[in-house]
Amino acid sequence: MIGDFAVIPPEEAGARLSIDLDALAFNWRLLRDRAGGADCAAVVKANAYGIGIEMAVPKLLAAGCRTFYVAHLAEARRVRALTGDAVIYVLNGFLTGTAPVYAAHGLRPVLGSREEIVEWGEYAAAHPDAPPAAIHIDTGMNRLGLSPEQVAEVARALPFRPVLILTHLASAEDQADPSNARQLADFTRLRKHFPDIPASFCNSSGAFIEPVAAFDQTRAGVALYGANPVPGQPNPMREVVRLEAKILQIRDVPDGAAVGYNGKWTARGPRRLATLSIGYADGYLRSASGWDSKAAQGIKAGIALVGGVACPFAGSVSMDLIVIDVTDVPQDAARRGGLAVMIGDGLPLDEVAARAGTIPYEILTSLGRRYARFYRNA
Ligand SMILES: *Cc1c(COP(=O)(O)O)cnc(C)c1O
């Protein structure tokens, strides 16, 4: 095992996933610099956005990161096992009965409701060695966090002293969205109910909105892993993930040939196709399928690079296979046993996401467990 991933010999795997940990460290340092003097916490929820907690966290520690965020308690325990005294916050708060686990491992809950705060207060009153907790204020997500109307009353009757107050931006990747300024104004006003308590406001994209509202801590997730925090502008982050799939077969088909399930792609003229050993069971989203109906509506579909040439998906992404059109690839570049680039190296993560009709977060956290994984610069 590498982390919680089974080791699959490269010659037996359909595709290879290479993760550049130096790029991860570079990205953390860039985000730390964006935070000015504030603490730059690394968000490593969902197995470090799919790249692997056990490999990401030691690299981030070595780069100087001392604060980590996860979503689940089980993830927090994995981070704790890798770190001595790092600060670990659990974003999804806490459920009844789990407080002793937080205490046993020195984990900090991010409390996001009145009920959580009351229950945590009862536990902390009975257990003076209980870890400190953060409080989440909702300024526009309606997901987790105290509503603005609750803040004053809860703050007045707080059963413990929190170590951090945070809120989460709803539309930070769109710098022009007026909700960013409104959330900042609301947070700035609401946190005054917690005098002298440190605060945290920005996610990855938030840390690129000038002037940076870093407060005492930023919480960087997706940009650490190479996604562009300001879509539409040049990506300042380095690519962390590179995914390549093996070519199983090359075939020539005549005009009108239908490809894949339900024949959703048909050849316009004679075409040369390559069948790749990767599919949705590997986490490659089926929504990137190359269908005639999408092309007719101008909807982009997936591509792969072979010999540096962009090759459109031909037909549906199936469970274990994707067919691509390699007609424009020089003869010997597309061959059985060769590789097609699926992510990285001229095919950025953000573009892969757009072509699947989704966001880079989903591409990363869907990365499958059947790849031969290579961790570079561990
Ligand atoms: C996931 C998450 C983050 C990290 O967000 P990115 O957009 O990935 O940088 C920060 N804060 C909270 C509350 C989150 O849930």
Side-chain angles (χ1 to χ4, degrees):
M1 303 288 279
I2 321 176
D4 70 338
F5 298 104
V7 175
I8 300 175
E11 63 280 9
E12 296 177 17
R16 48 177 67 193
L17 178 66
S18 140
I19 289 161
D20 183 350
L21 294 171
D22 272 355
L24 174 73
F26 172 93
N27 291 343
W28 182 79
R29 287 191 294 268
L30 193 152
L31 287 153
R32 175 202 60 195
D33 294 346
R34 296 287 320 165
D39 182 27
C40 178
V43 181
V44 295
K45 61 195 181 190
N47 213 7
Y49 288 50
I51 77 163
I53 278 181
E54 280 73 17
M55 281 62 69
V57 168
K59 193 72 184 187
L60 291 164
L61 278 171
C65 181
R66 290 292 172 267
T67 308
F68 295 89
Y69 277 86
V70 293
H72 292 185
L73 197 43
E75 296 169 340
R77 292 175 61 155
R78 282 169 65 188
V79 176
R80 176 56 78 216
L82 300 161
T83 67
D85 54 359
V87 171
I88 305 171
Y89 287 102
V90 181
L91 285 164
N92 282 12
F94 96 110
L95 289 163
T96 305
T98 58
V101 185
Y102 284 86
H105 301 279
L107 308 171
R108 303 181 175 186
V110 178
L111 304 173
S113 70
R114 204 199 305 251
E115 292 88 336
E116 283 187 354
I117 290 168
V118 168
E119 270 187 38
W120 186 261
E122 286 165 3
Y123 182 81
H127 301 83
D129 58 344
I135 290 181
H136 184 166
I137 300 175
D138 179 32
T139 53
M141 294 281 275
N142 280 307
R143 208 174 57 162
L144 292 175
L146 294 174
S147 69
E149 300 70 42
Q150 292 176 318
V151 167
E153 188 199 322
V154 170
R156 226 177 293 121
L158 262 190
F160 57 88
R161 188 180 158 84
V163 279
L164 184 74
I165 305 297
L166 66 84
T167 196
H168 192 43
L169 284 162
S171 309
E173 77 289 348
D174 180 3
Q175 298 196 338
D177 193 308
S179 71
N180 296 317
R182 196 200 37 72
Q183 286 191 269
L184 177 58
D186 287 352
F187 185 61
T188 303
R189 174 174 54 80
L190 291 164
R191 75 170 285 234
K192 295 206 174 101
H193 293 286
F194 306 91
D196 304 323
I197 307 293
S200 177
F201 180 72
C202 291
N203 64 343
S204 298
S205 293
F208 287 82
I209 300 175
E210 298 281 358
V212 181
F215 292 92
D216 303 286
Q217 181 202 74
T218 59
R219 308 182 308 274
V222 78
L224 287 174
Y225 311 101
N228 189 352
V230 194
Q233 288 184 27
N235 188 355
M237 316 314 296
R238 270 175 60 183
E239 276 177 358
V240 174
V241 168
R242 179 181 157 93
L243 177 63
E244 295 160 300
K246 287 182 191 164
I247 298 174
L248 297 173
Q249 290 196 2
I250 305 286
R251 69 173 62 219
D252 292 302
V253 297
D255 181 39
V259 173
Y261 287 113
N262 308 109
K264 284 173 156 298
W265 183 93
T266 41
R268 309 275 153 94
R271 308 303 291 178
R272 169 159 292 178
L273 305 177
T275 304
L276 308 180
S277 187
I278 187 170
Y280 60 75
D282 297 289
Y284 201 103
L285 299 184
R286 189 171 174 277
S287 56
S289 292
W291 295 340
D292 293 341
S293 59
K294 284 165 101 175
Q297 293 174 75
I299 300 172
K300 282 188 174 177
I303 57 171
L305 304 180
V306 179
V309 177
C311 303
F313 286 12
S316 288
V317 171
S318 39
M319 186 185 291
D320 314 296
L321 300 168
I322 294 175
V323 178
I324 59 174
D325 181 343
V326 295
T327 311
D328 296 336
V329 176
Q331 195 75 310
D332 47 351
R335 51 176 181 77
R336 174 171 176 248
L339 292 172
V341 175
M342 310 304 291
I343 304 175
D345 212 23
L347 182 47
L349 175 63
D350 287 81
E351 181 175 350
V352 172
R355 289 178 171 278
T358 185
I359 51 178
Y361 300 77
E362 192 177 22
I363 300 295
L364 289 168
T365 58
S366 299
L367 287 172
R369 315 186 69 88
R370 294 203 293 187
Y371 301 134
R373 285 186 172 240
F374 297 88
Y375 287 92
R376 296 195 287 131
N377 307 306

